[in-house]
Amino acid sequence: MNAIGPVEPGEDTYGREPTHGRYEAAASEAARRDPRRLRHRRAALATAAAVLLGAAGLSLHLTRPQPPPPPPAPRPPWPSQSVAVTYAGEMSRPRAGQRDFTFAVTFAQEAGPPVSVRRIAQPSAALSVRASPATPFTLKSGTPRKLIITMHIRECGEVPRNAGLPFLEVTLRNARANERQSYILGPEYANDLSGALTAACPRTRVS
């Protein structure tokens, strides 16, 4: 009598569980449990994150509008633009034959850094000048200096008689430049000077 039942599998026909999946899972589990590999992995991730953050920061810095540079500091004025020389009167009246007489001038700095007064002169070869206090001296804003100028007559026959002469030639220096400036001290100075020269040299011809 033949029995009817489930077909039995033949020899070597039983299904075998694939082994590659177990190997990969085991390797992953080993890597997870190995602290050295775990630290290495974390360090690699941290390095990659730092690189990305640095690149993002550099890109932001390069694309961000930069503020304009500060304007350059203004240059100081020319010394002759900041120094005023005015006639202060006090012209002495020499007697005939005297070669020296005096008058007063005021030096004032109107603005800017200090100015050094290096020299005071005048253009006539027949005259010379000497200042007290002597040059060089320094002018500062808000502190005018009164000087007594001594005029010396070298040659009576050649003294100038023009009402506008002689003017004073002043050499000035500040942080910007060294400059020689001619200062005409005005009609009152010219009249007083003409009277002093005429008193000292009454017999000279008019130049």
Side-chain angles (χ1 to χ4, degrees):
M1 180 177 178
N2 294 330
I4 299 174
V7 178
E8 297 290 336
E11 187 178 357
D12 296 331
T13 60
Y14 289 101
R16 295 183 179 180
E17 183 180 352
T19 58
H20 60 84
R22 292 200 306 271
Y23 292 154
E24 290 178 356
S28 176
E29 182 67 18
R32 187 177 65 81
R33 293 182 178 181
D34 189 344
R36 291 176 299 176
R37 294 185 179 181
L38 186 60
R39 286 195 300 269
H40 178 72
R41 185 178 182 184
R42 288 177 178 174
L45 290 175
T47 302
V51 170
L52 291 176
L53 288 176
L58 178 61
S59 176
L60 180 62
H61 175 73
L62 293 177
T63 56
R64 179 183 301 170
Q66 299 298 313
R75 298 186 66 186
W78 294 95
S80 62
Q81 294 175 340
S82 64
V83 172
V85 181
T86 55
Y87 175 57
E90 303 178 21
M91 182 79 69
S92 66
R93 180 59 65 94
R95 294 190 300 269
Q98 284 187 332
R99 295 301 180 99
D100 295 327
F101 58 95
T102 61
F103 58 93
V105 293
T106 300
F107 281 70
Q109 186 193 17
E110 299 172 346
V115 174
S116 175
V117 180
R118 310 298 297 176
R119 183 172 179 266
I120 300 174
Q122 53 76 49
S124 173
L127 301 171
S128 65
V129 296
R130 183 176 70 253
S132 178
T135 56
F137 59 88
T138 300
L139 291 175
K140 297 181 180 180
S141 296
T143 309
R145 298 284 298 269
K146 182 178 179 180
L147 277 70
I148 301 300
I149 302 295
T150 299
M151 186 79 74
H152 175 72
I153 301 172
R154 292 173 174 171
E155 180 60 51
C156 267
E158 300 298 330
V159 293
R161 301 292 178 159
N162 186 302
L165 296 176
F167 49 83
L168 293 184
E169 293 180 341
V170 182
T171 302
L172 304 168
R173 184 167 68 188
N174 68 356
R176 179 169 184 170
N178 190 78
E179 188 179 14
R180 188 173 68 180
Q181 177 72 9
S182 297
Y183 289 92
I184 299 175
L185 303 182
E188 183 181 358
Y189 164 76
N191 291 335
D192 290 352
L193 178 63
S194 178
L197 292 175
T198 300
C201 302
R203 297 180 180 178
T204 58
R205 63 180 177 83
V206 177
S207 301

Short mmCIF file of all heavy atoms in Angstrom, two decimals, residues 79 83 113-119 136-139 170-174 178:
data_model
loop_
_atom_site.label_atom_id
_atom_site.label_comp_id
_atom_site.label_asym_id
_atom_site.label_seq_id
_atom_site.Cartn_x
_atom_site.Cartn_y
_atom_site.Cartn_z
N PRO A 79 53.14 127.10 6.56
CA PRO A 79 53.42 127.97 7.71
C PRO A 79 53.01 129.42 7.48
O PRO A 79 52.53 130.09 8.40
CB PRO A 79 54.93 127.80 7.92
CG PRO A 79 55.46 127.18 6.68
CD PRO A 79 54.34 126.37 6.10
N VAL A 83 50.60 131.96 10.13
CA VAL A 83 51.33 132.94 10.96
C VAL A 83 51.04 134.36 10.46
O VAL A 83 51.13 134.63 9.25
CB VAL A 83 52.84 132.66 10.95
CG1 VAL A 83 53.61 133.79 11.64
CG2 VAL A 83 53.14 131.33 11.62
N PRO A 113 49.60 123.26 13.78
CA PRO A 113 50.66 122.82 14.70
C PRO A 113 51.68 123.93 14.91
O PRO A 113 51.69 124.94 14.20
CB PRO A 113 51.28 121.62 13.96
CG PRO A 113 51.02 121.91 12.51
CD PRO A 113 49.68 122.59 12.47
N PRO A 114 52.56 123.78 15.90
CA PRO A 114 53.56 124.81 16.17
C PRO A 114 54.40 125.14 14.94
O PRO A 114 54.67 124.29 14.09
CB PRO A 114 54.41 124.19 17.28
CG PRO A 114 53.51 123.22 17.95
CD PRO A 114 52.63 122.66 16.87
N VAL A 115 54.81 126.41 14.87
CA VAL A 115 55.65 126.91 13.77
C VAL A 115 56.93 127.48 14.36
O VAL A 115 56.88 128.23 15.35
CB VAL A 115 54.91 127.98 12.94
CG1 VAL A 115 55.84 128.58 11.89
CG2 VAL A 115 53.68 127.39 12.27
N SER A 116 58.04 127.13 13.76
CA SER A 116 59.33 127.66 14.18
C SER A 116 59.69 128.86 13.31
O SER A 116 59.67 128.76 12.07
CB SER A 116 60.41 126.58 14.07
OG SER A 116 61.69 127.11 14.37
N VAL A 117 59.99 129.99 13.95
CA VAL A 117 60.47 131.18 13.24
C VAL A 117 61.99 131.09 13.19
O VAL A 117 62.66 131.21 14.22
CB VAL A 117 60.02 132.48 13.93
CG1 VAL A 117 60.54 133.70 13.17
CG2 VAL A 117 58.50 132.52 14.04
N ARG A 118 62.52 130.84 11.99
CA ARG A 118 63.94 130.53 11.85
C ARG A 118 64.80 131.76 11.62
O ARG A 118 65.94 131.83 12.08
CB ARG A 118 64.15 129.56 10.69
CG ARG A 118 63.25 128.33 10.71
CD ARG A 118 63.48 127.49 11.94
NE ARG A 118 64.84 126.96 11.97
CZ ARG A 118 65.35 126.25 12.96
NH1 ARG A 118 64.62 126.03 14.04
NH2 ARG A 118 66.58 125.81 12.91
N ARG A 119 64.27 132.78 10.94
CA ARG A 119 65.09 133.93 10.57
C ARG A 119 64.20 135.12 10.26
O ARG A 119 63.11 134.96 9.72
CB ARG A 119 65.98 133.58 9.37
CG ARG A 119 66.95 134.67 8.94
CD ARG A 119 67.90 134.13 7.86
NE ARG A 119 68.84 135.14 7.40
CZ ARG A 119 68.65 135.93 6.33
NH1 ARG A 119 67.54 135.80 5.61
NH2 ARG A 119 69.56 136.82 5.99
N PRO A 136 66.22 131.15 16.49
CA PRO A 136 64.86 130.66 16.24
C PRO A 136 64.04 130.61 17.52
O PRO A 136 64.56 130.47 18.62
CB PRO A 136 65.09 129.26 15.69
CG PRO A 136 66.35 128.80 16.36
CD PRO A 136 67.21 130.03 16.50
N PHE A 137 62.72 130.72 17.36
CA PHE A 137 61.79 130.52 18.46
C PHE A 137 60.52 129.89 17.89
O PHE A 137 60.31 129.87 16.67
CB PHE A 137 61.49 131.83 19.21
CG PHE A 137 60.89 132.90 18.34
CD1 PHE A 137 59.52 132.99 18.15
CD2 PHE A 137 61.70 133.85 17.73
CE1 PHE A 137 58.97 133.99 17.36
CE2 PHE A 137 61.16 134.86 16.95
CZ PHE A 137 59.79 134.93 16.77
N THR A 138 59.68 129.37 18.78
CA THR A 138 58.51 128.61 18.35
C THR A 138 57.23 129.35 18.68
O THR A 138 57.09 129.92 19.77
CB THR A 138 58.48 127.22 19.02
OG1 THR A 138 59.66 126.50 18.65
CG2 THR A 138 57.26 126.41 18.58
N LEU A 139 56.31 129.35 17.72
CA LEU A 139 54.98 129.94 17.92
C LEU A 139 53.96 128.84 18.13
O LEU A 139 54.00 127.80 17.46
CB LEU A 139 54.58 130.76 16.69
CG LEU A 139 55.34 132.06 16.41
CD1 LEU A 139 54.86 132.65 15.10
CD2 LEU A 139 55.14 133.05 17.55
N VAL A 170 60.62 136.68 6.54
CA VAL A 170 60.59 135.76 7.68
C VAL A 170 60.64 134.33 7.17
O VAL A 170 59.86 133.94 6.29
CB VAL A 170 59.32 135.98 8.53
CG1 VAL A 170 59.32 135.06 9.74
CG2 VAL A 170 59.22 137.44 8.96
N THR A 171 61.57 133.55 7.70
CA THR A 171 61.67 132.13 7.35
C THR A 171 60.95 131.32 8.41
O THR A 171 61.26 131.42 9.61
CB THR A 171 63.14 131.69 7.25
OG1 THR A 171 63.81 132.50 6.27
CG2 THR A 171 63.24 130.23 6.84
N LEU A 172 59.99 130.52 7.96
CA LEU A 172 59.12 129.74 8.86
C LEU A 172 59.25 128.25 8.53
O LEU A 172 59.48 127.87 7.38
CB LEU A 172 57.66 130.16 8.70
CG LEU A 172 57.34 131.64 8.89
CD1 LEU A 172 55.93 131.95 8.42
CD2 LEU A 172 57.51 132.03 10.35
N ARG A 173 59.05 127.44 9.54
CA ARG A 173 59.05 126.00 9.32
C ARG A 173 58.04 125.32 10.24
O ARG A 173 57.96 125.64 11.43
CB ARG A 173 60.44 125.40 9.57
CG ARG A 173 60.51 123.89 9.24
CD ARG A 173 61.92 123.39 9.20
NE ARG A 173 62.55 123.41 10.51
CZ ARG A 173 63.85 123.16 10.71
NH1 ARG A 173 64.64 122.91 9.68
NH2 ARG A 173 64.35 123.18 11.94
N ASN A 174 57.27 124.40 9.68
CA ASN A 174 56.37 123.57 10.49
C ASN A 174 56.45 122.13 9.98
O ASN A 174 57.38 121.78 9.23
CB ASN A 174 54.94 124.10 10.47
CG ASN A 174 54.28 123.97 9.10
OD1 ASN A 174 54.90 123.55 8.12
ND2 ASN A 174 53.01 124.34 9.03
N ASN A 178 59.28 124.15 4.90
CA ASN A 178 60.14 125.28 5.27
C ASN A 178 59.87 126.37 4.23
O ASN A 178 59.99 126.11 3.02
CB ASN A 178 61.60 124.86 5.27
CG ASN A 178 62.51 125.91 5.87
OD1 ASN A 178 62.59 126.05 7.08
ND2 ASN A 178 63.21 126.66 5.02
#
